[in-house]
Amino acid sequence: MWHYRFEARFCNPRKGNEKGHVENKVGYTRRNHLSPLPVISDLEELNKRQTEQAAAERQRLHYSKGQLIRDLFLEDKQALLPLPAEPFIVARSEMATTNKYGEFKLGEEIYRIPQAAIGQRLFIKVYALHLDIFNESGETKIATVPRQYALDVTKIDWAANLKIFIHKPRAVEYANCLKALPTVLRDYILSADLHARSTRVKILVELLQEHPLPVVVQTVTQARDLGIEPDDRLTLRSLAACQASSTKETKPVLETATPSAVRSWQPNLKSYSLLQKEASSNE
């Protein structure tokens, strides 16, 4: 209210009829824009779609005034206060200190920040779907990580998250990031003894530095199905390279040495067509 300079006027409890116009607009939006239920990949996509649909609504006539809603809105804007130059930041601030694994606890969730030093004091801005991590003074941004309930495993820096466990193979069992790791890769790590586990974590780090997560998952799955030795680093890297090349879209090589007149030349095949007709008649 202080940021956008407006006064709140509340209805009485359980008296929706006191704001009937708002209730009607909710129903209108639900029936026209959310039926059937939309299929989305994230909240930002839904918000963008709703914004576009709301803008399109301004192009229709008002039900009683017979004017475009867009024009009526422009009239209303003349009486409105200008918006602040900066939007209101919907976030809270927290302080935390990383442990020896580069992790800190926020609420009941544990977050690992590979970019932070061990025992570093952090200033955190907590948003609905992500965290912005800064140094203690808040002057330098270190990282942005998704909230645990909004994890997208394809956007996690897995190589950085797993690298610390190359020399701490026992600790990987308790790593919070392991919960979000695909089952195939989690089993690949935990099914080995401590010495082999360290080797496998190192192999995964190398693969994840070179290829996206889906390619690495396919590589480990294929190696398991073919009975390839899990610790055969060179074979796994070769398999990953083959998987990556098979998913890439092949494009023609752009060749510029040949003159354009030659490249665009189309031979006249009419003479050959005449010979073909003569050969057919002789038969």
Side-chain angles (χ1 to χ4, degrees):
M1 290 171 57
W2 176 86
H3 185 84
Y4 289 110
R5 296 171 293 173
F6 66 87
E7 181 182 353
R9 295 176 61 188
F10 298 99
C11 296
N12 292 309
R14 296 181 294 278
K15 293 292 183 179
N17 59 293
E18 295 182 0
K19 52 181 176 61
H21 182 68
V22 176
E23 297 291 344
N24 287 337
K25 285 300 182 185
V26 171
Y28 177 89
T29 302
R30 182 185 296 118
R31 291 189 299 272
N32 289 274
H33 302 319
L34 297 173
S35 297
L37 290 176
V39 178
I40 61 171
S41 59
D42 56 43
L43 185 61
E44 289 184 4
E45 178 187 336
L46 177 62
N47 287 337
K48 181 180 178 182
R49 185 187 304 179
Q50 290 287 292
T51 300
E52 293 172 350
Q53 291 171 333
E57 285 287 337
R58 299 175 191 167
Q59 307 306 315
R60 64 182 178 87
L61 294 176
H62 189 272
Y63 72 97
S64 64
K65 297 187 177 182
Q67 294 178 256
L68 288 177
I69 294 176
R70 177 196 61 194
D71 297 335
L72 294 172
F73 177 62
L74 290 176
E75 290 181 14
D76 283 346
K77 285 181 68 175
Q78 302 302 317
L80 297 177
L81 293 173
L83 289 173
E86 297 292 334
F88 181 71
I89 299 175
V90 187
R92 75 175 192 270
S93 300
E94 299 281 353
M95 299 296 295
T97 304
T98 58
N99 60 16
K100 61 182 178 180
Y101 303 118
E103 300 172 333
F104 68 85
K105 190 171 184 180
L106 183 68
E108 298 300 320
E109 301 294 342
I110 296 175
Y111 294 87
R112 168 150 165 69
I113 311 299
Q115 302 89 336
I118 294 173
Q120 182 175 357
R121 188 77 171 155
L122 301 174
F123 173 72
I124 306 163
K125 291 181 100 172
V126 184
Y127 293 84
L129 300 178
H130 71 276
L131 309 177
D132 281 343
I133 315 296
F134 298 84
N135 64 349
E136 184 175 6
S137 64
E139 296 177 352
T140 304
K141 188 174 182 179
I142 298 174
T144 297
V145 297
R147 296 288 293 272
Q148 292 291 355
Y149 52 76
L151 280 178
D152 183 346
V153 296
T154 61
K155 296 180 181 178
I156 297 175
D157 188 349
W158 285 111
N161 274 277
L162 292 174
K163 194 172 183 179
I164 192 174
F165 299 109
I166 293 176
H167 303 295
K168 299 178 180 179
R170 190 186 300 276
V172 74
E173 298 178 17
Y174 311 102
N176 193 61
C177 65
L178 203 68
K179 300 174 185 177
L181 195 66
T183 304
V184 172
L185 303 186
R186 187 164 62 244
D187 293 344
Y188 173 75
I189 295 174
L190 298 181
S191 61
D193 58 36
L194 291 182
H195 177 71
R197 185 182 294 176
S198 179
T199 301
R200 294 187 187 185
V201 172
K202 186 175 182 179
I203 292 173
L204 280 186
V205 168
E206 291 181 359
L207 293 176
L208 289 164
Q209 286 174 336
E210 299 172 355
H211 306 286
L213 182 66
V215 171
V216 178
V217 171
Q218 292 176 4
T219 298
V220 175
T221 302
Q222 185 181 14
R224 181 196 61 191
D225 296 342
L226 294 175
I228 295 173
E229 177 63 35
D231 302 335
D232 189 343
R233 171 175 163 272
L234 294 178
T235 302
L236 285 170
R237 292 189 68 180
S238 297
L239 281 176
C242 291
Q243 290 282 358
S245 62
S246 65
T247 58
K248 288 182 179 178
E249 182 182 354
T250 56
K251 296 181 180 179
V253 178
L254 296 177
E255 189 270 319
T256 58
T258 305
S260 58
V262 177
R263 286 204 306 269
S264 60
W265 175 69
Q266 296 292 333
N268 188 347
L269 302 178
K270 289 183 178 180
S271 300
Y272 294 97
S273 300
L274 293 173
L275 290 173
Q276 186 179 17
K277 289 180 181 179
E278 290 180 5
S280 300
S281 63
N282 292 333
E283 292 176 359

